[in-house]
Amino acid sequence: MPELPSVSRRRALAAVGATAIGVGSYVAGLRSADAAPDWLAGRDCAPSPLVTSPTDWSFPRHDRANTGHAPARAGPDWPLDRRWERSWPVGDLHELRALAVADGVVVALLVASPRSHLLALSLADGRVRWRRPVGDAGYGYAFAAGGTAFVEGAVPDSSARFAARSLGDGEALWTGPVSAHVPQTLADGRLLAVTRSPDRTRDEAHFAVTAFDARTGVECWRAVHRGRPHDIAVADGRLVLPTRDRGVLALDPASGDRQWRSDHGGDGVAVVDGHVVAQRFPGELRAVSLADGSSEWHVRSEHFLDGGESDDGTQYARPGFEVGAVTPAAVVYTLNVYSDYPRRLRARSLDTGDLLWNVGPEPTPVEFHGYSRPIVVGDEVLAVRYARRAETDDPPDALLRLDVDSGTERGRIPFPTDERVYAPVVADGTLVVPTDERVLAYT
């Protein structure tokens, strides 16, 4: 079946007419995203962009392009001094769903019992600035920019599934029904979100990309495309969405119109210097051109490559790539091996896909070994190493500091053996390290 063109709501204006709806959607200063879309209300929907700083960690993968790469000045100078630590002021923490830092505020989305919360801490001293309960946080997402925290997660005592909150006090600026379990992002003052297609009668899966005024929640436009996206990134005039079976899709972030679709799909993407790096489970890593989607290089995981079978006939899933950071020179990732073979931390050339370095133990005597998703700060890779050995004391988790060009270790910070350490972030000269019990800041 030929590819269906995208359908822009702005193009449908003439057919719809000037019907006015939702004029009563302002209540006590809180505006619902169900208010009249600008294309219906006759407005141009030209919001001012929300400011982000390269020394902040505004998104869980640093920026709108998912690079996971912060400038050196965003992190501290080594050796480090511990500035503060704070126990999580919640019940039992099950998962840290998102961590971001903007405007001197650490924003954490915590899946906890008996209730999940969005928490805001001061980057300067760790004090709790505010917290708000969040429902269905296990499928949530959060980032912060321009004095606002954007959070997917059910708002208690409300039908809303999304809230834009003031970083200052946590009060809701607007709420809406956005919920697709796909991250949201920003472009030119608009919140771009994947939503379910309003047309459920078509014979194949479709999705809609909807643009909202990020300051008010008013809908600006909606465009429908084919596929099931899993991730989202914005860079250099492209909105990039990977779909598993229908290629990586690039749209115009100002209208939602399609610019290109690649021949091969993905589950996650990162964009840097005109390259789109896409990973797909199991065991595929690919770079395509941001200009037109043409393939540049492609690699598959080597271990248990043929049918996922070991020498003794045991069946395994092929190893999967998890891209942590992409710099102008390298793609830094973990190779997650679903067996007793240790996981690896690796880097490949962004231009060619050639392996640059490979870090990790030999298969014995380590029975379990893994790494958090790596980040890059200046010319250094930061990643948490997890290891376990049989019939001996568990070695502690440790935050490793590696040279991005060679993978050579420059230093580490060990943690107690009974404490689970999550991937760190950096912002404003501070290293923030969360664990399942507390959050620590180093300068």
Side-chain angles (χ1 to χ4, degrees):
M1 181 178 293
E3 178 70 14
L4 296 177
S6 63
V7 180
S8 170
R9 283 203 167 187
R10 191 174 297 277
R11 291 178 178 177
L13 177 60
V16 174
T19 304
I21 61 173
V23 295
S25 296
Y26 296 89
V27 180
L30 179 62
R31 184 174 187 175
S32 166
D34 291 331
D38 279 10
W39 66 273
L40 283 177
R43 296 182 291 265
D44 290 334
C45 195
S48 56
L50 275 69
V51 176
T52 59
S53 168
T55 58
D56 281 342
W57 197 279
S58 297
F59 293 78
R61 285 182 281 169
H62 182 254
D63 51 31
R64 297 177 301 165
N66 297 338
T67 66
H69 181 201
R73 67 183 185 277
D77 294 326
W78 295 69
L80 303 178
D81 293 321
R82 186 183 299 182
R83 188 172 185 179
W84 55 261
E85 69 173 89
R86 169 77 61 178
S87 297
W88 295 118
V90 297
D92 293 334
L93 181 66
H94 300 311
E95 180 185 5
L96 174 62
R97 185 64 184 171
L99 189 71
V101 184
D103 303 326
V105 180
V106 181
V107 177
L109 182 58
L110 306 173
V111 182
S113 181
R115 199 165 200 181
S116 299
H117 279 84
L118 181 73
L119 185 69
L121 304 175
S122 166
L123 180 63
D125 56 19
R127 65 184 175 86
V128 178
R129 300 187 59 162
W130 52 265
R131 62 179 174 178
R132 293 291 184 273
V134 177
D136 296 332
Y139 296 98
Y141 183 77
F143 65 91
T148 306
F150 298 91
V151 188
E152 179 178 347
V155 179
D157 303 318
S158 168
S159 61
R161 311 292 300 179
F162 184 90
R165 297 185 178 276
S166 165
L167 274 185
D169 57 15
E171 289 299 312
L173 305 175
W174 58 268
T175 63
V178 178
S179 181
H181 307 329
V182 177
Q184 302 84 34
T185 192
L186 294 173
D188 298 323
R190 298 180 182 90
L191 175 78
L192 302 181
V194 172
T195 57
R196 296 186 65 180
S197 170
D199 184 353
R200 300 180 183 178
T201 64
R202 294 180 178 176
D203 58 350
E204 296 193 41
H206 289 75
F207 70 95
V209 176
T210 304
F212 302 93
D213 185 319
R215 298 185 186 277
T216 65
V218 168
E219 184 180 314
C220 300
W221 51 258
R222 182 179 298 167
V224 177
H225 295 275
R226 182 179 295 169
R228 294 180 182 273
H230 299 276
D231 200 4
I232 192 168
V234 173
D236 300 330
R238 299 282 195 275
L239 171 63
V240 182
L241 300 111
T243 69
R244 185 164 183 77
D245 299 319
R246 293 194 173 274
V248 177
L249 183 64
L251 310 179
D252 182 344
S255 66
D257 293 336
R258 194 181 81 178
Q259 296 178 328
W260 53 257
R261 187 188 290 270
S262 73
D263 293 332
H264 303 277
D267 300 318
V269 290
V271 184
V272 68
D273 279 7
H275 305 273
V276 178
V277 177
Q279 65 194 45
R280 185 170 70 169
F281 181 86
E284 294 186 18
L285 186 65
R286 183 182 303 273
V288 302
S289 167
L290 181 61
D292 58 13
S294 59
S295 182
E296 297 177 336
W297 54 261
H298 173 225
V299 297
R300 301 181 73 190
S301 53
E302 305 91 346
H303 190 60
F304 298 138
L305 180 61
D306 296 329
E309 184 173 314
S310 67
D311 293 339
D312 64 3
T314 303
Q315 296 289 323
Y316 296 102
R318 280 202 303 115
F321 295 96
E322 184 177 26
V323 174
V326 180
T327 77
V331 181
V332 185
Y333 64 93
T334 57
L335 181 66
N336 298 326
V337 184
Y338 305 95
S339 71
D340 55 3
Y341 188 87
R343 300 183 180 190
R344 319 297 293 175
L345 188 63
R346 289 179 166 181
R348 290 184 178 272
S349 166
L350 177 64
D351 291 330
T352 66
D354 293 339
L355 187 65
L356 301 177
W357 49 263
N358 177 29
V359 170
E362 294 303 317
T364 57
V366 178
E367 290 195 345
F368 171 81
H369 196 92
Y371 297 94
S372 69
R373 172 175 273 173
I375 68 171
V376 173
V377 183
D379 63 354
E380 295 182 334
V381 177
L382 299 180
V384 179
R385 184 214 63 181
Y386 311 107
R388 299 290 181 267
R389 290 181 173 87
E391 300 178 358
T392 63
D393 293 336
D394 287 341
D397 292 346
L399 176 63
L400 304 185
R401 173 182 170 227
L402 310 176
D403 182 274
V404 72
D405 293 327
S406 65
T408 303
E409 185 174 327
R410 294 181 175 179
R412 65 175 59 191
I413 303 174
F415 286 84
T417 57
D418 58 351
E419 193 167 2
R420 170 77 176 187
V421 185
Y422 291 96
V425 302
V426 295
D428 196 21
T430 304
L431 171 67
V432 180
V433 185
T435 79
D436 59 354
E437 297 181 1
R438 56 187 172 149
V439 58
L440 304 97
Y442 298 87
T443 55

